[in-house]
Amino acid sequence: MNVSNETRTHLQILETGVTLRGPAEVVEPIAFAYRRFHVDDAGPEAIRLDLEAVNAVSARVCGRPIELVPDLDVGLQFYQFLLDELMDRLGSQALLHAAALRTRSGGALLLAAPSGHGKTSLTLELAHRGLGFLGDDYAPLDLDRRLVLPFPRAVGIHPDGDAPIPLPFRSLASEPGVTRLFGKSLLDVGQVLGESSVVTEPLPLQGVVLLTAHKSAGTGLPTRIVVAARRGDGDELQAFFAGTGGIEILDRAERPHLSLWSLKLEHEASPTEALSRVLDSEKVLFSEKIWDERPDFQGRPSVVPVRRREAAEFLGREMLNRRNGGRLLARHGGSVTALFLHLAAALREASCWRVSVGGAGATADLIESLAD
Amino acid sequence: MTTPQIPKPTGSFEGTDLGDEYLFYDRENDRVHVLNTTAREIFLLCDGSRSEDEIAGTLAETYELEQATASKDTQQTLKRLYELGVLAS
């Protein structure tokens, strides 16, 4: 095996140390994405991820061998192992799928949205306008102290995409020497906008903005999900999908090592909770939610206040570490409901709004006015 | 002459005050009960020191309601909270 280009990097991500070791082409982009989390020593309790070679058949996660799926990008799998391990270890923070910015009054404003709703573009635009950057994708919320912690990973931008990214980011994303991960150019916000633009301290939660495509109240839930699993688990998952009310199997495809499904969800039949448990299990390699309703990026944005419970529901659905084996859920007696209520309580001092996304500039204007 | 009822929380459920609503978690049945803004105000007045009439009086004074309206709201809310097991007297 070729280990001549082996790279090792140590990170401290929230309360958890991480050591990554493997081929440079796999480890270095991940290390760049987490460059603000680098430390000299990750400590004896660190998550250890080892990969001997790009063409290895397995990786080791904290000493456990985990088989790699040959059809999948090895870097993507290694990256996912890191996230899964990290999410299981967090015990006091809810890792929310949301961007976070420092308002002019010094609080944290969360922007929560499904993928494809302009979260990264809006975050970079607002950071460019002077709001402090905590993160564009993950927001760890300390549930007891109601603090949002910085999570300033490098931002991934499609170099040839048409998203309305501020010019300094757009220009850099196209440069040939930029580090790329899964086809996206990685940019450090502090390098582009200056170190003072990156927040390094936890901030009290001040507001939550739910970015949606729809003008009126709706479920805001995905209508389709694509799921991939190892073929060995295919029949068991097929039986679950076929036997769970509210899930319609649109398509199933078999690859040499993978089973793939396209599922349609009927939320009136409440498939969500049972499905979430399966999607969080180790049987599922990855899943992607697809919303039929897309924002009208040429339209006029609008805003309505929402109750904290509604905001908590929205955030809770996208809470990344409410995993079955995770410390956070264990801390709540294994009850998703108890965890949800803890999240809701953490929003007690926050103002919450639902913003229907429209044109980029007008939507940023609207959110900036809420952040004052 | 009957003794006025003094409602107080049973402590049977885990409560979460969101400021705009109050949530009760019925862990045994894994259900959440939601009190709206008015019901929340009434529940928070049920601290074991006020009678139903005093709660209605406070509600009427705070929100400038007619006494009859406040009494009706209070009675209905307390009845429901007794049924749920959130309050006892």
Side-chain angles (χ1 to χ4, degrees):
Chain A
M1 282 191 232
N2 173 22
V3 291
S4 60
N5 65 345
E6 177 186 297
T7 294
R8 188 184 297 260
T9 194
H10 303 286
L11 308 169
Q12 179 71 37
I13 304 176
L14 303 171
E15 55 203 42
T16 305
V18 177
T19 297
L20 304 176
R21 184 186 69 83
E25 63 193 279
V26 172
V27 171
E28 284 181 358
I30 298 173
F32 186 86
Y34 285 93
R35 64 189 294 275
R36 288 184 177 272
F37 301 83
H38 279 198
V39 290
D40 292 334
D41 183 357
E45 302 297 318
I47 297 168
R48 286 188 56 91
L49 274 77
D50 296 284
L51 182 69
E52 295 300 331
V54 173
N55 58 357
V57 295
S58 66
R60 295 187 82 80
V61 178
C62 299
R64 304 187 314 270
I66 296 198
E67 185 187 354
L68 292 162
V69 177
D71 297 351
L72 271 180
D73 182 324
V74 66
L76 177 62
Q77 294 180 73
F78 204 60
Y79 189 74
Q80 193 58 48
F81 294 155
L82 165 61
L83 280 175
D84 288 349
E85 233 12 74
L86 180 64
M87 286 188 275
D88 282 347
R89 294 236 190 156
L90 297 179
S92 56
Q93 294 116 11
L95 191 59
L96 305 174
H97 183 209
L101 293 151
R102 181 182 56 211
T103 68
R104 299 194 203 288
S105 52
L109 180 73
L110 297 180
L111 305 183
S115 299
H117 282 51
K119 182 157 45 70
T120 295
S121 304
L122 280 168
T123 303
L124 295 182
E125 175 61 31
L126 290 163
H128 192 229
R129 294 181 184 197
L131 300 192
F133 176 81
L134 284 89
D136 81 312
D137 204 19
Y138 294 165
L141 173 63
D142 186 312
L143 294 174
D144 296 326
R145 298 185 296 157
R146 299 174 189 163
L147 294 174
V148 179
L149 283 69
F151 204 86
R153 287 195 314 184
V155 177
I157 295 173
H158 282 294
D160 305 317
D162 56 3
I165 305 291
L167 191 57
F169 292 96
R170 164 73 56 217
S171 306
L172 280 174
S174 305
E175 288 195 358
V178 71
T179 303
R180 302 223 168 146
L181 185 62
F182 317 134
K184 290 184 175 180
S185 298
L186 294 179
L187 301 177
D188 180 88
V189 170
Q191 284 184 329
V192 180
L193 298 178
E195 280 304 306
S196 62
S197 64
V198 179
V199 177
T200 57
E201 298 296 324
L203 299 177
L205 179 58
Q206 178 182 335
V208 178
V209 172
L210 314 176
L211 299 170
T212 67
H214 43 265
K215 301 284 180 192
S216 56
T219 65
L221 292 169
T223 45
R224 284 192 298 132
I225 295 188
V226 175
V227 179
R230 289 185 178 83
R231 278 195 72 162
D233 293 321
D235 289 345
E236 186 182 333
L237 287 171
Q238 173 76 16
F240 169 78
F241 296 144
T244 302
I247 298 177
E248 180 187 346
I249 299 172
L250 297 176
D251 188 33
R252 179 179 176 184
E254 298 297 332
R255 301 280 161 74
H257 300 277
L258 287 178
S259 293
L260 300 161
W261 292 266
S262 175
L263 309 173
K264 184 178 179 188
L265 304 181
E266 295 294 343
H267 291 290
E268 288 71 21
S270 303
T272 316
E273 187 169 342
L275 183 59
S276 293
R277 289 185 189 279
V278 170
L279 296 181
D280 285 345
S281 75
E282 290 190 352
K283 294 187 190 308
V284 170
L285 295 170
F286 68 83
S287 62
E288 183 173 5
K289 298 166 184 172
I290 298 167
W291 281 257
D292 279 351
E293 197 174 6
R294 309 291 293 178
D296 173 10
F297 288 115
Q298 308 303 317
R300 211 178 142 83
S302 60
V303 60
V304 290
V306 295
R307 291 191 179 280
R308 295 181 181 110
R309 176 166 48 93
E310 187 180 341
E313 276 179 35
F314 193 106
L315 293 172
R317 282 202 312 267
E318 299 291 314
M319 193 193 301
L320 299 166
N321 58 330
R322 58 184 173 84
R323 290 159 54 86
N324 295 337
R327 288 184 189 171
L328 188 66
L329 191 59
R331 196 184 144 202
H332 292 82
S335 164
V336 174
T337 311
L339 172 55
F340 163 79
L341 288 172
H342 199 177
L343 171 64
L347 269 54
R348 186 179 166 165
E349 306 295 329
S351 301
C352 304
W353 303 274
R354 188 174 63 237
V355 167
S356 173
V357 175
T363 307
D365 290 345
L366 186 59
I367 295 172
E368 197 175 8
S369 72
L370 300 175
D372 281 341
Chain B
M1 187 175 159
T2 57
T3 308
Q5 287 200 323
I6 309 287
K8 61 183 176 193
T10 59
S12 301
F13 302 119
E14 297 165 37
T16 302
D17 189 3
L18 300 186
D20 52 358
E21 294 176 320
Y22 202 104
L23 310 182
F24 286 104
Y25 179 32
D26 175 357
R27 189 178 282 270
E28 196 174 312
N29 298 299
D30 197 31
R31 293 184 63 181
V32 175
H33 303 289
V34 181
L35 304 189
N36 65 19
T37 306
T38 307
R40 170 186 174 272
E41 294 291 344
I42 292 169
F43 171 73
L44 292 177
L45 291 168
C46 297
D47 58 2
S49 71
R50 296 176 178 87
S51 68
E52 287 190 22
D53 286 346
E54 288 169 330
I55 290 168
T58 304
L59 196 68
E61 194 177 313
T62 306
Y63 293 97
E64 297 178 355
L65 299 173
E66 287 188 22
Q67 187 62 45
T69 305
S71 293
K72 188 178 165 197
D73 285 352
T74 302
Q75 276 174 11
Q76 287 178 341
T77 301
L78 292 181
K79 180 170 181 287
R80 182 67 183 137
L81 293 178
Y82 283 129
E83 286 170 355
L84 288 172
V86 169
L87 293 177
S89 59

